[in-house]
Amino acid sequence: MRLFLSWVLIYVVFLAVLRKMWSSRYLRSHLSRSLYMNMLSHSQEAPYWDCSHKWYACDTQTLSEALRPMFVQSYLDDGTQTFLNRSIEKSGWLSIQLYHSFMSSVFSMFMSRTSINGLLGRGSMFVFSQEQFQRLLRVGPDWKSLRLLDLGAGDGEVTRVMSPHFEEIYVTEMSQTMIWQLQKKKYRVLNIDEWQKTGLQYDIISCLNLLDRCHQPVTLLKEMRSVLEPTRGRVILALVLPFHPYVENGGKWEKPAEAMDVTGTAWEEQVNSLADIFKEAGFAVETFTRLPYLCEGDMYNDYYVLDDAVFVLRPL
Ligand SMILES: C[S@@+](CC[C@H](N)C(=O)[O-])C[C@H]1O[C@@H](n2cnc3c(N)ncnc32)[C@H](O)[C@@H]1O
Ligand SMILES: *[C@@H]1O[C@H](CO)[C@@H](O)[C@H](O)[C@H]1NC(C)=O
């Protein structure tokens, strides 16, 4: 017991020193680079009211002619602001952040980051607000539909934003601790090799930030096509750009088994290339937008931001 307490004490002192050193630019950029491999990339240098306009910007001139009219301009709305405010508040709770940081360092020896977050119930993500979701699908706040399937739903916080529009909500997850979170929220969890064969058709399938984190993205696209309601059905798909696929396996990172051939470097170029990949899988782009993919912060950062492209796809 005494040994344990001294270990905790040393750990706290270590973190306090680390926090002091944090002002050093080198350490900060060095650590955020290694954090990229844990999917939490570019830490915020400037506060969001200084840089948030860049999160939504698109150079429509470099889009292919067919895609240009499909672009929807998004902006920092109330729903996003609420998430950011909450995240900034939470990262200021030092004792909770210390506890999370300590537990993660213990569990990271044998668990994936996703599973640790699921276990501790932290690191929730934000893709779009309800208004942004409705604008992309071109529906009103009262729009109702029958069935949603959210693939790779994480802890279900993003599912919750979509949930008021649906009577039945099905989800899939790879991580066991995330499955517990989803069951707690009363979603119907389907096995990752079972959802393709239930015989059900879905009105909306969401595949948010999953294609770059699974082993078979090309197969996944085709499977989604096969269980989507064939006329009114839509897929809502988010992908972090620049495209950088890797799969979490326990505490390790692996290359995916199937390659998705995304070309170009700029956000707009990769979007052009993705439209071709979707077409091959039997989908046309109906609308798309650029949004920040936000993650709750920890003791070092108020929140983390990745760059998302969000598409609404219709079956061809
Ligand atoms: C980056 S998170 C995205 C979570 C949430 N959809 C969001 O947008 O915030 C990707 C999730 O997909 C899960 N995952 C990975 N491969 C999967 C697969 N083949 N089927 C279902 N989920 C998978 C991971 O466990 C992880 O929770
Ligand atoms: C978020 O916080 C800012 C600054 O404290 C405040 O002006 C704003 O009204 C808050 N927004 C929401 C939606 O809570």
Side-chain angles (χ1 to χ4, degrees):
M1 190 63 199
R2 193 166 300 159
L3 193 72
F4 180 73
L5 281 177
S6 44
W7 165 205
V8 171
L9 192 71
I10 289 169
Y11 188 75
V12 169
V13 170
F14 167 75
L15 284 174
V17 171
L18 195 64
R19 205 163 195 199
K20 263 257 144 64
M21 285 163 64
W22 208 241
S23 45
S24 136
R25 276 243 157 185
Y26 170 74
L27 183 61
R28 196 173 177 129
S29 66
H30 183 76
L31 259 159
S32 26
R33 224 177 307 132
S34 65
L35 278 171
Y36 182 68
M37 292 314 288
N38 293 333
M39 111 149 264
L40 310 167
S41 95
H42 358 276
S43 62
Q44 273 319 99
E45 295 294 338
Y48 65 81
W49 48 88
D50 284 344
C51 62
S52 61
H53 60 280
K54 287 189 220 131
W55 291 350
Y56 304 94
C58 170
D59 178 11
T60 46
Q61 289 313 306
T62 41
L63 291 171
S64 74
E65 217 152 297
L67 279 179
R68 228 169 277 162
M70 277 78 189
F71 179 71
V72 173
Q73 178 68 56
S74 298
Y75 54 93
L76 186 74
D77 65 357
D78 269 359
T80 313
Q81 186 83 250
T82 304
F83 179 87
L84 286 170
N85 282 8
R86 177 89 187 132
S87 181
I88 292 167
E89 187 192 341
K90 270 188 173 175
S91 70
W93 299 342
L94 190 62
S95 50
I96 293 196
Q97 296 305 337
L98 277 173
Y99 163 76
H100 281 165
S101 170
F102 176 70
M103 298 302 272
S104 325
S105 69
V106 174
F107 287 124
S108 62
M109 288 179 253
F110 50 92
M111 267 169 102
S112 73
R113 173 147 304 261
T114 302
S115 296
I116 296 170
N117 284 346
L119 189 68
L120 299 174
R122 67 150 200 187
S124 285
M125 316 294 288
F126 182 92
V127 181
F128 39 55
S129 66
Q130 266 177 28
E131 292 75 27
Q132 288 164 343
F133 173 73
Q134 290 159 10
R135 248 159 58 86
L136 269 177
L137 282 175
R138 301 206 186 106
V139 297
D142 299 325
W143 178 71
K144 285 272 182 289
S145 200
L146 178 58
R147 245 176 243 133
L148 169 71
L149 172 63
D150 191 11
L151 298 170
D155 66 359
E157 282 303 300
V158 183
T159 323
R160 205 222 310 256
V161 174
M162 304 184 278
S163 64
H165 297 289
F166 302 93
E167 272 166 47
E168 298 172 14
I169 299 171
Y170 298 80
V171 294
T172 69
E173 241 313 314
M174 184 91 129
S175 150
Q176 186 54 48
T177 60
M178 289 300 184
I179 292 177
W180 294 333
Q181 297 277 349
L182 291 165
Q183 285 167 338
K184 210 157 76 184
K185 291 175 179 148
K186 304 268 183 276
Y187 298 128
R188 308 177 195 199
V189 182
L190 299 177
N191 210 299
I192 58 169
D193 46 22
E194 173 192 77
W195 61 273
Q196 304 88 337
K197 308 168 202 152
T198 58
L200 292 174
Q201 282 188 336
Y202 302 91
D203 303 291
I204 299 285
I205 300 178
S206 49
C207 176
L208 306 173
N209 305 298
L210 172 62
L211 281 189
D212 54 353
R213 292 291 171 275
C214 67
H215 269 297
Q216 296 181 295
V218 183
T219 308
L220 189 76
L221 279 171
K222 295 196 176 122
E223 289 171 340
M224 284 195 276
R225 178 74 176 74
S226 73
V227 297
L228 187 65
E229 201 284 330
T231 52
R232 286 169 298 108
R234 295 290 180 271
V235 169
I236 183 158
L237 189 147
L239 195 55
V240 174
L241 299 182
F243 186 63
H244 185 73
Y246 60 86
V247 181
E248 239 180 331
N249 181 5
K252 295 194 307 285
W253 303 100
E254 293 173 348
K255 261 193 160 354
E258 264 178 29
M260 214 169 85
D261 193 20
V262 180
T263 58
T265 47
W267 188 89
E268 291 82 359
E269 291 165 355
Q270 297 209 336
V271 164
N272 288 339
S273 155
L274 282 163
D276 296 335
I277 293 171
F278 297 148
K279 194 169 175 190
E280 240 161 77
F283 292 110
V285 175
E286 199 167 62
T287 53
F288 72 102
T289 190
R290 183 176 191 167
L291 289 172
Y293 180 33
L294 302 168
C295 177
E296 277 181 355
D298 49 27
M299 59 186 300
Y300 309 115
N301 285 281
D302 290 341
Y303 52 84
Y304 292 88
V305 192
L306 291 160
D307 202 352
D308 248 349
V310 187
F311 301 87
V312 172
L313 306 177
R314 112 184 113 69
L316 278 171

